[in-house]
Amino acid sequence: MINESALLESKTLRDSVLDRTNVLDRVKALSLLPDGMHVTTAMVATYFGVTTEALRALVHDHRAELETSGYRVLAGTELSDFKQLSGIQSRTRSLALFSRRAVLNVAMLLRDSETARQVRVYLLDMECLARAQPAEHTASTDSASLDARIDQRITHILGKTVVPMFNALIETSREDRRELIALRAGVQRIERRLHQHHARLKRLEGLRDDRPAIGVMAAMDSMNGRSFEQHVARLLRRDGCTNVVVQGGHGDRGVDVIGLTPGERRLVVQCKRFAPYLTIGSPDMQKFIGAAKVLYRAEVAIYVATCPFTPEALHIAAEAGITAVHRGLLEEWSTGEPLHVLE
């Protein structure tokens, strides 16, 4: 069996296993930025348990290889656009970003990290297992892998190109808004089915990974209250809501976001970015009901939280017609699942 240190010395060997990025989450949970695709230098250093200075030194020594794997530095307009789209708060003039492939590449170059060593051992175990499979099985696996890559490519195009195109059209169109929203919903259903199909393929191939998609929630946990309200507002606009205004803060009268649903119903939202071990209780829910129904006369009222609701709070919300978006539902909404109360 190849020793894990061989990855430190052989770029050819490193290149041969760069697609196995799933090992990162199998060894240790890797938090992602809100775009679900990148991490910063500090986040990579935390994952591997090293200093940012050590990581920057490694990047300096292997920059060309890491750039091939997806490492890049944003500045100027590109950085401004990325901040706006991802919702991150940073005053730096440049921002280094690592893709998951680049993080895996770091694991194969970083000597003084136990996490990196575990990743290398795991990679070579998988490679040894793959080489031990019969030729027939390898051929069928290659075919399934090709199908899976095609599915993932289609899903990426739908999620990153087609759906944003519909979002832009919905925001600017008046006459065809309902038809565009219906078409976007159809595209999102196809995208979800492809995701489900890919998950079934992974289970059938024995590549189990039961971890949740932690990147989105980890990003929200790192937001401040205002950033979280802006994130919820972006989700509302994505789903066709109009006149969306973030008014959270002093004097908001118990409501953080207001707007109109795609069907022109009055909408109010309360946003609570609490630690996941806390809960939203019945007093909080009762206060929101009073603000939503009495002060704002809302037709649609949503309480969004990064933590669970108590059973009593959920019971009160159901009786009053309030939609309670708990942590799990918030993750689904943030990753593309539409919020049905808005339809």
Side-chain angles (χ1 to χ4, degrees):
M1 179 177 175
I2 305 173
N3 188 282
E4 56 91 12
S5 61
L7 286 167
L8 295 166
E9 311 300 334
S10 173
K11 183 178 184 302
T12 301
L13 185 56
R14 291 195 295 270
D15 290 343
S16 70
V17 294
L18 264 180
D19 287 332
R20 300 187 185 276
T21 57
N22 61 318
V23 303
L24 294 170
D25 289 322
R26 289 175 181 268
V27 172
K28 183 179 177 182
L30 175 66
S31 297
L32 301 173
L33 288 172
D35 69 345
M37 298 171 62
H38 296 96
V39 291
T40 64
T41 301
M43 294 166 73
V44 178
T46 298
Y47 176 83
F48 288 113
V50 299
T51 64
T52 55
E53 288 75 14
L55 186 58
R56 290 192 180 103
L58 182 140
V59 171
H60 179 270
D61 293 339
H62 302 277
R63 180 151 186 163
E65 179 178 342
L66 291 171
E67 285 180 342
T68 302
S69 302
Y71 172 82
R72 58 190 179 131
V73 179
L74 303 184
T77 303
E78 190 177 17
L79 176 59
S80 301
D81 292 343
F82 182 81
K83 288 179 181 179
Q84 184 176 1
L85 290 172
S86 64
I88 64 171
Q89 304 293 320
S90 174
R91 295 183 179 180
T92 58
R93 295 184 178 180
S94 63
L95 181 65
L97 295 178
F98 295 76
S99 67
R100 287 175 63 88
R101 281 170 57 93
V103 175
L104 183 59
N105 207 152
V106 169
M108 293 186 280
L109 293 167
L110 194 57
R111 295 178 181 273
D112 300 324
S113 166
E114 179 59 25
T115 300
R117 191 193 70 80
Q118 291 176 14
V119 171
R120 292 194 293 270
V121 170
Y122 205 121
L123 275 172
L124 292 175
D125 284 347
M126 292 180 66
E127 187 70 7
C128 181
L129 180 63
R131 292 180 181 182
Q133 300 299 321
E136 295 82 1
H137 178 78
T138 302
S140 62
T141 301
D142 289 344
S143 177
S145 298
L146 177 60
D147 290 342
R149 289 197 297 271
I150 292 172
D151 285 347
Q152 287 179 298
R153 182 59 179 164
I154 294 172
T155 305
H156 177 80
I157 292 171
L158 291 176
K160 300 298 181 182
T161 303
V162 179
V163 171
M165 178 188 71
F166 275 115
N167 292 341
L169 290 172
I170 289 167
E171 287 186 6
T172 57
S173 175
R174 294 184 179 180
E175 296 180 357
D176 302 320
R177 179 182 297 274
R178 291 181 182 274
E179 291 80 0
L180 289 169
I181 291 172
L183 287 171
R184 183 187 61 186
V187 171
Q188 289 174 321
R189 280 195 295 273
I190 295 172
E191 184 184 2
R192 288 196 299 274
R193 287 173 183 170
L194 285 171
H195 274 300
Q196 293 164 359
H197 175 64
H198 179 61
R200 283 195 294 271
L201 280 178
K202 286 183 68 176
R203 288 195 295 270
L204 290 172
E205 293 169 3
L207 300 176
R208 290 186 57 82
D209 187 356
D210 297 325
R211 297 178 185 270
I214 58 128
V216 173
M217 292 313 300
M220 274 185 270
D221 289 338
S222 68
M223 294 179 182
N224 59 31
R226 188 67 173 181
S227 297
F228 180 57
E229 292 163 4
Q230 295 286 356
H231 173 72
V232 171
R234 284 193 293 272
L235 295 177
L236 293 170
R237 296 186 187 103
R238 182 201 72 189
D239 287 351
C241 295
T242 58
N243 298 344
V244 177
V245 177
V246 177
Q247 60 175 26
H250 182 69
D252 60 17
R253 300 198 299 174
V255 167
D256 295 318
V257 184
I258 61 174
L260 296 174
T261 69
E264 303 295 323
R265 293 177 294 167
R266 286 190 301 276
L267 165 71
V268 298
V269 184
Q270 174 70 295
C271 306
K272 290 295 183 185
R273 199 215 59 76
F274 283 175
Y277 56 82
L278 299 177
T279 57
I280 302 296
S282 58
D284 298 312
M285 186 61 70
Q286 291 173 31
K287 180 181 177 181
F288 176 58
I289 291 171
K293 300 296 185 181
V294 178
L295 296 178
Y296 287 88
R297 299 185 181 278
E299 297 168 273
V300 175
I302 305 172
Y303 201 126
V304 183
T306 56
C307 63
F309 293 79
T310 64
E312 186 179 0
L314 289 174
H315 179 71
I316 293 172
E319 285 189 337
I322 304 296
T323 299
V325 179
H326 54 73
R327 188 175 179 86
L329 184 55
L330 174 59
E331 181 176 17
E332 293 177 2
W333 188 26
S334 296
T335 53
E337 186 73 21
L339 204 60
H340 296 302
V341 72
L342 300 175
E343 296 176 351

